[in-house]
């Protein structure tokens, strides 16, 4: 899959962004590819691609892509 492709093409080849993985790493970028910011925050649409905080929808448990500013805003609404 994608991981074998990234091992064969450390610069990412035609692949853009990060490979989402289901462990504590959350995502793995190509070894030699500069940060690209392919993703966008679901709250404000700014370039962002870090699923590290593991924010999930309260209703469907879908993993959400939210920047730190939007995470703070969402956590503040829960008070």
């Amino acid at each position: 899959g994608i991981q074998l492709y990234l091992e064969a093409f450390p610069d990412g080849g035609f692949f853009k962004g990060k490979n989402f993985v289901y462990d504590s790493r959350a995502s793995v970028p190509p070894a030699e590819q500069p940060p690209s910011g392919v993703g966008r925050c679901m709250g404000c649409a700014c370039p962002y691609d870090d699923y590290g905080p593991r924010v999930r929808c309260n209703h469907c448990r879908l993993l959400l892509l939210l920047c730190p500013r939007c995470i703070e805003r969402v956590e503040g609404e829960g008070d």
Side-chain angles (χ1 to χ4, degrees):
I2 298 295
Q3 189 60 39
L4 290 176
Y5 182 84
L6 295 178
E7 289 171 8
F9 299 94
D11 66 348
F14 291 105
F15 184 82
K16 302 293 182 222
K18 296 178 182 178
N19 182 27
F20 184 86
V21 292
Y22 296 91
D23 61 24
S24 62
R25 297 173 295 168
S27 62
V28 180
E32 299 173 10
Q33 189 180 70
S36 62
V38 172
R40 296 222 172 253
C41 172
M42 295 176 75
C44 67
C46 73
Y48 192 71
D49 64 357
D50 183 8
Y51 279 103
R54 301 284 188 177
V55 179
R56 293 189 177 271
C57 173
N58 290 332
H59 299 286
C60 68
R61 305 300 300 151
L62 179 73
L63 197 57
L64 303 175
L65 186 57
L66 291 174
C67 70
R69 187 178 69 206
C70 288
I71 290 173
E72 285 182 23
R73 189 181 76 228
V74 169
E75 287 175 348
E77 291 174 359
D79 295 340

